[in-house]
């Protein structure tokens, strides 16, 4: 005999950041909510974020810091539920926090505090949480969604897809959201790994030998430039600057790195004037980690001391250091990606409510949607904002 999980106003699929927050906000608006997840515990991705301290939002949140086929889609939700709104919630729960660089906010303690806060908010809203519930079937008839799981069958007028994307499969991430969206006629923008290390081919093995070396750079892919640290790895390039540009990088394209973004134009000519007997390697050793300085100097191969180099040769070396090209042969894939670029097409969703335009009662929020933020708390803010927008739109079921 099939177990009934009851009839609800809304069924939320996915007890991650977006799902828990949406469920809590909807429950507190008087909606009867069932929150389902196939995992044995909620918020797994939250727990590992920010080195275990959860970079829960960013004070610099703005729509232009998100990638989407429709760059305007995120404006409504982000404008109606802001980083300050979520910060106020964090403070109401007495969670101590601190700001790191570039507006990034972290818990002083543990990411567990954010998960506990969300669970507390769900409890305040009377949300029913059902874990270890593997979904086997989702149907829609007579204005209701019917979700069959390993724990039983539930029905609701509204269904919210909050199961994220395929990034970090070891935590249980899958492409389930996309399959379900297609099942109901929604388009999916081809997903690819984002905020992910880039790999280099054998022809650039010299740089892989610098594994472990990190330095501040300005990294560029297409029109996007980020000034943060880059890290050389045994497979290629990583670090915040590289993770950022990876979201913009496309196969077959190069990325450019300015190894000395703080230096003004003509700095090598000036060094030649003030210290003519200095070699490039010695000069770079002052500005960069030793192993990197030696490798770059070896590649540039100035013939002698700066004083014996023609200005044009110095200008060429300076230009190379400011625009060093790497041609990645790929990424480390979804296994190492923090998020996914692409997802459920925003063309099929209302930016006001996150509801499917041609399927009333079906919603998609968070990473499942084709909206991807920069590194540094932006994706969590999208989870809160999109979850809040959907929660405001969920209606109660008509009385039978």
């Amino acid at each position: 005999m099939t177990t009934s999980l009851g009839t609800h106003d809304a069924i939320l699929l996915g007890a991650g950041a977006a799902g828990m927050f949406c469920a809590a906000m909807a429950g507190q608006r008087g909606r009867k909510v069932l929150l389902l997840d196939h995992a044995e515990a909620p918020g797994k991705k939250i727990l590992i974020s920010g080195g275990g301290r959860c970079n829960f939002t960013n004070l610099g949140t703005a729509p232009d810091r998100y990638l989407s086929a429709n760059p305007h889609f995120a404006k409504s939700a982000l404008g109606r539920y802001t980083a300050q709104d979520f910060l106020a919630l964090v403070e109401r729960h007495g969670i101590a926090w601190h700001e790191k660089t570039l507006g990034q906010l972290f818990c002083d303690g543990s990411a567990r505090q954010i998960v506990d806060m969300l669970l507390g908010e769900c409890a305040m809203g009377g949300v029913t949480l059902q874990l270890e519930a593997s979904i086997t079937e989702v149907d829609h008839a007579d204005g209701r969604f019917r979700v069959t799981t390993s724990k039983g069958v539930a029905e609701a007028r509204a269904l919210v897809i909050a199961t994220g994307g395929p990034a970090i499969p070891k935590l249980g991430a899958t492409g389930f959201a996309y399959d379900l969206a297609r099942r109901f006629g929604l388009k999916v923008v081809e997903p690819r790994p984002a905020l992910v290390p880039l790999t280099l081919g054998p022809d650039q093995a010299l740089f892989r030998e610098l594994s472990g070396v990190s330095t501040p750079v300005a990294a560029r892919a297409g029109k996007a430039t980020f000034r943060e640290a880059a890290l050389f790895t045994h497979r290629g390039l990583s670090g915040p600057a590289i993770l950022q540009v990876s979201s913009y990088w496309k196969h077959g394209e190069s990325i450019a790195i300015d190894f000395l973004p703080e230096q003004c134009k003509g700095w090598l000519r000036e060094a030649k004037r003030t210290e003519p007997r200095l070699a490039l390697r010695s000069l770079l050793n002052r500005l960069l980690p030793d192993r990197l300085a030696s490798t770059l100097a070896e590649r540039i191969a100035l013939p002698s001391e700066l004083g014996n180099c023609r200005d044009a040769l110095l200008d060429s070396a300076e230009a190379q250091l400011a625009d060093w090209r790497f041609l990645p042969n790929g990424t480390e894939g979804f296994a190492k990606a923090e998020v996914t670029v692409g997802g459920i097409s925003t063309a099929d969703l209302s930016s006001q409510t996150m509801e499917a335009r041609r399927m009333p009662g079906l919603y998609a929020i968070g990473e499942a949607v084709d909206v991807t933020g920069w590194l540094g708390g932006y994706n969590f803010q999208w989870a809160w904002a999109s979850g809040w927008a959907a929660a405001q739109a969920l209606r109660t079921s008509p009385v039978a």
Side-chain angles (χ1 to χ4, degrees), residues 294-348:
S294 296
T295 297
L296 295 178
E298 180 182 327
R299 282 295 185 93
I300 292 172
L302 288 183
S304 59
E305 298 170 344
L306 298 180
N308 295 324
C309 295
R310 292 179 291 107
D311 285 351
L313 196 59
L314 295 179
D315 291 345
S316 175
E318 183 178 310
Q320 189 172 356
L321 288 165
D323 190 33
W324 203 288
R325 295 302 175 112
F326 291 90
L327 185 62
N329 62 1
T331 76
E332 292 196 24
F334 285 116
K336 295 294 179 68
E338 295 197 18
V339 293
T340 305
V341 162
I344 298 172
S345 174
T346 58
D348 291 333

Side-chain angles (χ1 to χ4, degrees), residues 89-326:
L89 178 63
V90 168
E91 291 182 332
R92 284 202 299 275
H93 280 258
I95 298 173
W97 58 274
H98 60 278
E99 180 181 350
K100 285 192 176 180
T101 58
L102 305 173
Q104 302 169 55
L105 303 190
F106 291 77
C107 298
D108 285 355
S110 163
R112 168 62 63 185
Q113 295 173 286
I114 298 297
V115 173
D116 289 344
M117 178 190 79
L118 294 172
L119 289 173
E121 290 289 317
C122 282
M124 287 173 58
V127 174
T128 300
L129 174 62
Q130 181 67 68
L131 298 170
E132 298 182 285
S134 299
I135 298 169
T136 57
E137 195 171 353
V138 180
D139 296 303
H140 181 265
D142 300 323
R144 287 186 177 277
F145 291 91
R146 179 183 171 92
V147 180
T148 304
T149 79
S150 56
K151 296 289 188 177
V153 179
E155 291 190 1
R157 183 180 178 183
L159 180 69
V160 184
I161 304 172
T163 53
I168 320 183
K170 69 180 180 181
L171 297 182
T174 70
F176 175 81
Y178 311 146
D179 296 336
L180 187 57
R182 292 187 183 103
R183 157 90 171 73
F184 289 111
L186 278 64
K187 297 184 181 68
V188 174
V189 176
E190 184 65 31
R192 57 185 174 85
L195 301 183
V196 62
L198 300 174
T199 56
L200 298 176
D203 57 320
Q204 295 180 311
L206 174 64
F207 287 95
R208 294 209 305 273
E209 292 170 6
L210 293 172
S211 180
V213 173
S214 177
T215 189
V217 303
R220 187 175 78 252
K223 296 180 179 179
T225 301
F226 295 91
R227 289 183 63 162
E228 294 189 67
L231 169 70
F232 289 92
T233 73
H234 68 285
R235 297 190 65 187
L237 297 167
S238 188
I242 302 302
L243 297 184
Q244 294 279 38
V245 297
S246 73
S247 298
Y248 295 84
W249 175 75
K250 296 177 182 177
H251 277 277
E253 295 181 353
S254 65
I255 66 165
I257 291 183
D258 182 348
F259 283 108
L260 297 165
E262 300 291 338
Q263 297 299 318
C264 298
K265 186 175 177 61
W267 64 275
L268 268 180
R269 288 195 188 199
E270 178 62 18
K272 170 185 175 179
R273 186 183 67 79
T274 57
E275 298 182 87
R277 301 194 62 181
L278 197 64
L280 178 63
R281 178 172 304 196
S282 299
L283 179 57
L284 291 181
N285 273 334
R286 297 177 184 176
L287 303 169
L288 296 167
D290 291 349
R291 281 198 290 157
L292 177 59
S294 296
T295 297
L296 295 178
E298 180 182 327
R299 282 295 185 93
I300 292 172
L302 288 183
S304 59
E305 298 170 344
L306 298 180
N308 295 324
C309 295
R310 292 179 291 107
D311 285 351
L313 196 59
L314 295 179
D315 291 345
S316 175
E318 183 178 310
Q320 189 172 356
L321 288 165
D323 190 33
W324 203 288
R325 295 302 175 112
F326 291 90

